[in-house]
Amino acid sequence: MGLLPKLNAYAESLLQEAQQVPDERKALLQQLADYLVQSKGTPVKLNFICTHNSRRSHIAQIWAAAGAAYFGIPGVETYSGGTEATAFNPRAVAALQRTGFKIDSPGGENPHYQVAFAETQAPLICYSKTFDAPVNPQSGFAAIMTCSDADQNCPFIPGAAFRLPLTYDDPKAADGTPEETARYDERVRQIGREILHAMQLAAQKMKSA
């Protein structure tokens, strides 16, 4: 399935960068791909978790939904949450918009952003929440830990059938500096590159099975 035109071109450029993914990261991404494959057509629920559910977890959730659509992997449901709720950071939103995601905000203290990535897919509703919020799966899901703090401080995620420490540096460190935009763009690109790599691995294995 094609993504929105600008986003589709961006995704294709990311797929050309697989050599930039370090081997130790590829091993983690292979675990994610294997989890997708072993579902054998049953719904796969991926819950991306960080501390505040404001940046990295949302970015990864959104890329996972787009990647599943790009490769036509059925039954992938993506979620995100934090150990506490804050708000989806507007700097991360803007960085995703620059890649081609269409994101609308209704405003408010914790906006429920509508994130569109394909014409034929309903937009994701993204807002900050805890990982165990009622809208998130309560059992049989994969807990993908996108920050080291959440991974270390939550040694047990109730209901998780699979857990993967796929952590990323927080672009928040560059907030208010001249490097802010570049740091957010870099993190969105890194997460997109890696999530798409995992989805590609899963799609290839499904096709050959």
Side-chain angles (χ1 to χ4, degrees), residues 2-14 63 70 94-102 116-119 185 189:
L3 304 177
L4 296 173
K6 181 180 177 181
L7 180 61
N8 201 75
Y10 188 93
E12 289 176 352
S13 73
L14 293 182
W63 270 120
Y70 182 90
L96 286 162
Q97 288 173 319
R98 288 192 288 272
T99 72
F101 287 98
K102 181 180 178 183
F117 52 88
E119 295 288 355
D185 287 347
R189 191 167 191 91

Side-chain angles (χ1 to χ4, degrees), residues 1-204:
M1 176 192 303
L3 304 177
L4 296 173
K6 181 180 177 181
L7 180 61
N8 201 75
Y10 188 93
E12 289 176 352
S13 73
L14 293 182
L15 291 169
Q16 302 303 313
E17 297 177 358
Q19 74 281 358
Q20 296 184 28
V21 181
D23 288 343
E24 64 271 18
R25 301 290 292 180
K26 286 183 177 179
L28 293 171
L29 297 168
Q30 184 66 63
Q31 291 182 50
L32 176 55
D34 291 343
Y35 182 79
L36 292 167
V37 171
Q38 71 185 22
S39 66
K40 298 180 180 178
T42 60
V44 178
K45 300 177 181 182
L46 306 178
N47 193 359
F48 295 89
I49 300 171
C50 65
T51 303
H52 299 117
N53 193 209
S54 59
R55 295 170 175 82
R56 291 162 287 178
S57 51
H58 274 118
I59 295 168
Q61 175 199 0
I62 290 165
W63 270 120
Y70 182 90
F71 287 105
I73 301 174
V76 177
E77 302 173 10
T78 68
Y79 305 86
S80 68
T83 54
E84 59 183 279
T86 53
F88 189 0
N89 191 275
R91 299 172 183 85
V93 172
L96 286 162
Q97 288 173 319
R98 288 192 288 272
T99 72
F101 287 98
K102 181 180 178 183
I103 305 179
D104 295 322
S105 171
E109 187 173 336
N110 183 8
H112 286 44
Y113 292 90
Q114 295 188 50
V115 182
F117 52 88
E119 295 288 355
T120 56
Q121 291 267 14
L124 297 172
I125 306 301
C126 295
Y127 61 98
S128 186
K129 69 197 83 65
T130 58
F131 67 83
D132 57 354
V135 296
N136 284 344
Q138 303 299 304
S139 63
F141 62 91
I144 314 298
M145 313 303 290
T146 58
C147 84
S148 56
D149 285 346
D151 187 42
Q152 293 166 5
N153 295 326
C154 295
F156 175 68
I157 302 294
F162 171 70
R163 177 180 177 136
L164 184 69
L166 191 65
T167 62
Y168 296 95
D169 291 340
D170 194 350
K172 179 182 179 179
D175 285 5
T177 74
E179 291 78 37
E180 179 181 285
T181 297
R183 187 75 58 83
Y184 276 83
D185 287 347
E186 175 189 13
R187 195 62 62 244
V188 166
R189 191 167 191 91
Q190 179 194 15
I191 295 174
R193 180 191 303 125
E194 294 193 355
I195 296 295
L196 284 176
H197 179 70
M199 294 291 174
Q200 185 177 44
L201 291 173
Q204 289 171 342

